[in-house]
Amino acid sequence: MKICRTCFCIVVFYAMLQLSPVVQAEGWTSFRNGGGSLSKSPLPLEWSPSEGILWQKELIGYGQSAPVISDGEVFVTSVVGDRCETVAIECFDLLSGELRWRYQQPSSQQHVSTYMHSRAAPTPVVDDDAVYAFFETGDCIAVDRKGERIWSRNETEATGPFQNHHGLGASPAHDDNNLYLVLEHDGPSCLLAIEKSTGRTSWKVDRDSTKSWSSPIVTNVHGRSQVIVSSGGTVQAYSANEGNQLWQIDGLEGNSVPSPVVAGDYLLVGARLPEFAQDGTVRANCCIDLSTIESGKIPSVVWKADKAICDYASPIAVGNCAYFINKANALHCIDLTTGEVHYRRRLELTCWATPIATQSNIYFFGKDGQCKIVDAGPVYREVAVNRLWDLDAPPPPLRYTEATAPAHGTEQSSDERPGGGMVGRLLAGDVDQNRFLEGDEIPAMFAKNLDRVDTDHDGRLDAQEIQEMAKGFAERRKHSQASSRDPILYGGAASEGKLALRTGTRIYVIEK
């Protein structure tokens, strides 16, 4: 039987629309460009401090967000001041680097500017009408494409001050009508839909209180728009229109930082090794089959990775390969449909930023400004290694210096650190003041692993066990301040054959 070629193309195109992430026609409009972190056009393969960098600019403040791009403009967010007194959005011309405009307003919830706390970590969203930015200070802002404020709201008015000593880092997702914001901390937590045009709440769903930096994604599954959140040991999907929960998968411990990604019929979930895990494995890095939703079934887990772990960078998928990279710079390439490991390779660079991929290459960004480009596919082949700056003489921040910021050489007292020390925070939950934590007094993250920290196995934590736990925690993080000195490459975006890369205080644009 012959099939009309035009009809066949229409059927294939419709099928692709039924199960695909929300992707904008052009530009790079949100964190990971909707979740896939895929560039539509080829990107530069070679650059150095002296060649290939189209322009670079120092920013008004400090930030850990990635840039976004739309219609030849680059947008980036920062916090300004020793106590993050001001939040800022800057707009640059993609070709020339000219500052088009800068928007600033006082922050609603100040905090010490330190490497221990997020600083403008959520990546903004941009569309044809406006730029939308959320900050760990609680400020959620919409400004038009000329930098004039449309609306502003303070999320801490509803939740109270955010109770997370590392701050919030989840970036908003979006569709044509709403922003979708995950607010998860030790206090009242929720998934929030905010109407883009007015700033009013479209709907709100309460969520368990937990510490999470994982960002939501919006995807169309068999004609139904869903908001998917991977956090707190679960993956949950909500209707984008009403906010009602559609399905849930449990048992995914460690999924507090990497964000999920849709790849065809599959959902990739990334997870890190929990702080008090008993061994060096975590079985929450997995692939979920979304195709069964059409028949009304709960999605099933297709495979779980034995050793692949995500820490800071989220997983990505290109073709039939999925890629996971951990903080020890071990890269796993896994068959998307079977879970078979194609290769394991140590990249020799620490990636905090999520990779960016084209149809043929994957760009892995080291926090030290190096970029390793490898072939997309089941066989490892290194294409190029590039640098943004001289590794022996990295460019110091021009405005953000050791003299004004504790993160660059000055230790803070326990009173200044956001949330205080671990022992103090834990013992604050000792409701009956008997110097033991037991029952509901034990935080959920420790209750799951009680047998690993409860050394005398009496079902509760005494002061000595808490002190030992804090000592081990501090030992594992004793070099964290030195490893968090600028410049650090935090994130990137791609559009029109160009890469926009962001450090704490600077933005670079690279072209072919």
Side-chain angles (χ1 to χ4, degrees):
M1 179 181 66
K2 291 185 178 181
I3 300 176
C4 168
R5 183 173 181 178
T6 301
C7 294
F8 176 77
C9 292
I10 291 173
V11 170
V12 171
F13 178 68
Y14 178 76
M16 292 173 66
L17 286 179
Q18 294 305 295
L19 189 51
S20 61
V22 175
V23 178
Q24 303 300 316
E26 59 184 61
W28 191 281
T29 64
S30 62
F31 179 53
R32 303 180 303 146
N33 201 25
S37 205
L38 301 174
S39 171
K40 294 181 174 64
S41 58
L43 297 173
L45 294 176
E46 295 182 355
W47 64 86
S48 71
S50 59
E51 295 183 3
I53 297 177
L54 182 61
W55 56 267
Q56 55 180 296
K57 294 284 184 177
E58 192 79 2
L59 301 171
I60 187 63
Y62 195 97
Q64 297 159 300
S65 58
V68 292
I69 304 172
S70 175
D71 294 331
E73 294 179 324
V74 186
F75 307 89
V76 65
T77 57
S78 303
V79 286
V80 185
D82 295 352
R83 294 194 59 82
C84 304
E85 297 91 346
T86 304
V87 296
I89 308 170
E90 293 178 278
C91 171
F92 298 91
D93 184 274
L94 178 62
L95 292 177
S96 68
E98 174 191 358
L99 178 65
R100 292 281 182 85
W101 51 260
R102 177 184 293 140
Y103 173 84
Q104 298 182 78
Q105 75 173 46
S107 62
S108 298
Q109 184 181 334
Q110 297 182 16
H111 62 85
V112 176
S113 185
T114 165
Y115 77 103
M116 286 292 292
H117 198 284
S118 63
R119 289 170 285 178
T123 294
V125 161
V126 60
D127 62 20
D128 291 340
D129 300 316
V131 184
Y132 312 86
F134 171 66
F135 297 84
E136 76 283 356
T137 60
D139 298 292
C140 190
I141 304 162
V143 298
D144 66 24
R145 293 296 294 263
K146 295 182 180 179
E148 298 296 326
R149 185 169 72 180
I150 301 173
W151 52 260
S152 177
R153 47 187 282 168
N154 175 13
E155 302 306 332
T156 64
E157 290 180 353
T159 67
F162 295 140
Q163 301 172 38
N164 184 348
H165 58 285
H166 291 311
L168 299 184
S171 300
H174 74 129
D175 57 23
D176 290 342
N177 300 315
N178 292 320
L179 300 176
Y180 301 96
L181 191 62
V182 172
L183 302 177
E184 292 187 342
H185 61 122
D186 287 339
S189 299
C190 64
L191 171 63
L192 198 60
I194 301 172
E195 190 175 49
K196 281 183 171 181
S197 58
T198 65
R200 292 195 292 262
T201 299
S202 297
W203 51 260
K204 176 184 175 183
V205 177
D206 291 337
R207 288 181 56 83
D208 292 340
S209 296
T210 184
K211 295 179 175 67
S212 175
W213 282 42
S214 178
S215 300
I217 58 172
V218 184
T219 190
N220 190 302
V221 182
H222 299 300
R224 189 170 191 176
S225 184
Q226 303 186 3
V227 183
I228 298 178
V229 181
S230 173
S231 174
T234 68
V235 175
Q236 296 165 310
Y238 303 84
S239 166
N241 294 327
E242 298 90 14
N244 54 296
Q245 185 173 315
L246 303 175
W247 53 266
Q248 175 172 323
I249 295 178
D250 299 308
L252 302 176
E253 186 181 9
N255 61 337
S256 59
V257 176
S259 303
V261 58
V262 170
D265 286 347
Y266 300 111
L267 177 75
L268 286 177
V269 175
R272 62 192 313 192
L273 187 67
E275 187 64 42
F276 300 99
Q278 194 163 13
D279 54 34
T281 62
V282 57
R283 299 298 301 276
N285 291 273
C286 64
C287 178
I288 295 171
D289 185 1
L290 298 176
S291 65
T292 58
I293 293 176
E294 188 175 22
S295 57
K297 298 179 181 178
I298 296 175
S300 58
V301 176
V302 181
W303 51 260
K304 289 188 176 183
D306 289 327
K307 296 183 178 179
I309 293 174
C310 289
D311 282 284
Y312 309 114
S314 301
I316 63 168
V318 184
N320 199 43
C321 293
Y323 301 86
F324 296 76
I325 185 167
N326 65 18
K327 64 182 179 182
N329 62 73
L331 170 65
H332 283 73
C333 174
I334 300 175
D335 188 281
L336 185 60
T337 57
T338 68
E340 175 190 356
V341 177
H342 290 308
Y343 65 78
R344 296 185 179 96
R345 185 81 175 214
R346 198 167 294 278
L347 288 187
E348 298 179 355
L349 74 167
T350 300
C351 299
W352 286 8
T354 293
I356 290 176
T358 66
Q359 290 183 345
S360 55
N361 299 121
I362 306 173
Y363 292 66
F364 293 96
F365 302 104
K367 63 189 284 286
D368 63 355
Q370 293 188 87
C371 175
K372 186 165 287 189
I373 305 172
V374 304
D375 269 347
V379 178
Y380 182 87
R381 188 180 78 86
E382 192 173 292
V383 176
V385 180
N386 304 303
R387 294 177 293 111
L388 281 178
W389 55 77
D390 182 349
L391 299 182
D392 295 325
L398 299 182
R399 296 187 179 92
Y400 190 87
T401 67
E402 290 188 11
T404 60
H408 294 269
T410 304
E411 285 288 353
Q412 296 168 270
S413 70
S414 59
D415 292 337
E416 290 179 302
R417 292 177 188 141
M422 174 183 281
V423 174
R425 289 193 301 274
L426 286 174
L427 290 178
D430 181 16
V431 178
D432 56 13
Q433 298 294 304
N434 67 348
R435 301 295 289 177
F436 288 94
L437 297 183
E438 50 193 340
D440 292 340
E441 295 176 338
I442 302 175
M445 67 177 294
F446 300 118
K448 294 178 182 178
N449 305 287
L450 184 62
D451 59 330
R452 304 170 198 171
V453 293
D454 177 20
T455 54
D456 59 10
H457 305 293
D458 63 353
R460 58 185 185 175
L461 298 178
D462 59 34
Q464 182 177 349
E465 288 168 334
I466 294 173
Q467 289 283 358
E468 289 299 317
M469 183 172 56
K471 186 185 299 182
F473 188 83
E475 177 65 23
R476 287 189 291 273
R477 280 164 168 71
K478 65 181 179 181
H479 301 301
S480 61
Q481 182 169 350
S483 70
S484 300
R485 296 180 187 273
D486 287 311
I488 294 172
L489 182 57
Y490 285 114
S495 182
E496 302 177 25
K498 297 175 178 60
L499 276 169
L501 304 175
R502 191 256 170 86
T503 68
T505 63
R506 184 170 287 261
I507 184 168
Y508 298 77
V509 170
I510 301 164
E511 70 169 354
K512 298 177 68 173

